Amino acid sequence: MPIFTTSDGHEMYYKDWGKGPVVTFSHGWPLSSDAWSIQMQFLAEQGYRCIAHDRRGHGKSAQTSTRNDMDGYADDLAELFSALDLQDIVMVGHSTGGGEVARYIGRHGTKRVRKAVLLGAVPPVMLQSEANPEGLPIAAFEGLRRDILKNRSQFYKDFAIPFYSANREGANVPQSLLDEFWLISMQAGLKNAHDCIKAFSETTSPTI
């Protein structure tokens, strides 16, 4: 199992599939690299090298109590890129992963990066404020933190439904997909998932 150890002793799991131009994937909250399996399989078959990591505290990575924030996520990514000597990267990030990509570029520049793709990403900021009146109120995120602490298993089962728009009229989302979301989410550490809500909701991301 490919494991990279960061400078602060945190073990981070990653997948490295295929050969060719490099595409990296940063997953959304509270998932892991498993969320990218279909895209990675497809691109690896098309001649790309696909790399996806489990963010600190998520998936198979160590459930550390420190640096569960955008700076920590971006710095972990920078160390992984350096260790694998990745160049000319196309970085793909979804949701929180989009914030991770933006923060990486803001802190570490574009020397290794060719392109950045942000999919349903959190930048520039999600939280409602005078400067961002269309954002979500802090109470919404406080509710997420409360519900995770109360019963994270039930929370993830409930959250899977709007995540895949299974509550929309005419939606045909298989139960197996909702179950997979729950299974992957349950692999995230409670503290890590709890801290990550603050990271993705309240952190202002730099402009790319």
Side-chain angles (χ1 to χ4, degrees):
M1 186 168 70
I3 293 289
F4 166 74
T5 302
T6 65
S7 58
D8 65 348
H10 161 63
E11 291 188 340
M12 187 165 70
Y13 169 81
Y14 67 96
K15 299 177 181 181
D16 190 347
W17 296 355
K19 296 182 179 180
V22 177
V23 183
T24 64
F25 297 89
S26 293
H27 63 81
W29 173 89
L31 301 172
S32 73
S33 60
D34 286 347
W36 293 110
S37 295
I38 294 175
Q39 292 82 4
M40 291 180 65
Q41 178 70 18
F42 174 79
L43 289 175
E45 290 176 346
Q46 308 306 312
Y48 290 88
R49 181 183 179 187
C50 299
I51 298 171
H53 66 292
D54 289 357
R55 183 173 301 117
R56 172 179 294 247
H58 296 67
K60 300 178 183 68
S61 292
Q63 295 183 15
T64 177
S65 63
T66 58
R67 303 214 73 199
N68 297 302
D69 52 49
M70 284 298 178
D71 285 350
Y73 303 154
D75 292 349
D76 286 347
L77 205 53
E79 291 189 24
L80 177 62
F81 288 178
S82 178
L84 298 179
D85 193 25
L86 303 182
Q87 305 290 339
D88 207 26
I89 305 167
V90 175
M91 298 181 71
V92 180
H94 168 243
S95 190
T96 301
E100 183 177 278
V101 169
R103 184 56 58 91
Y104 169 87
I105 292 174
R107 286 174 69 82
H108 301 282
T110 57
K111 181 180 179 180
R112 296 181 182 273
V113 182
R114 180 182 180 187
K115 294 180 180 179
V117 181
L118 306 184
L119 304 172
V122 299
V125 66
M126 296 185 70
L127 188 64
Q128 187 181 70
S129 65
E130 290 185 6
N132 185 38
E134 296 183 357
L136 294 173
I138 188 64
F141 303 112
E142 290 173 344
L144 295 181
R145 288 190 281 261
R146 179 196 63 234
D147 292 344
I148 279 184
L149 293 176
K150 182 178 180 181
N151 186 340
R152 69 181 181 126
S153 180
Q154 188 61 52
F155 171 83
Y156 292 142
K157 286 185 177 183
D158 294 341
F159 192 70
I161 296 171
F163 184 89
Y164 285 110
S165 298
N167 53 346
R168 292 189 177 184
E169 185 177 354
N172 184 21
V173 180
Q175 184 62 44
S176 57
L177 188 60
L178 303 178
D179 292 343
E180 182 183 36
F181 179 94
W182 172 86
L183 178 63
I184 297 174
S185 298
M186 285 297 291
Q187 296 176 47
L190 174 60
K191 176 172 177 53
N192 306 103
H194 184 269
D195 291 354
C196 189
I197 295 171
K198 182 177 180 64
F200 75 67
S201 65
E202 299 180 33
T203 304
T204 301
S205 299
T207 302
I208 297 179

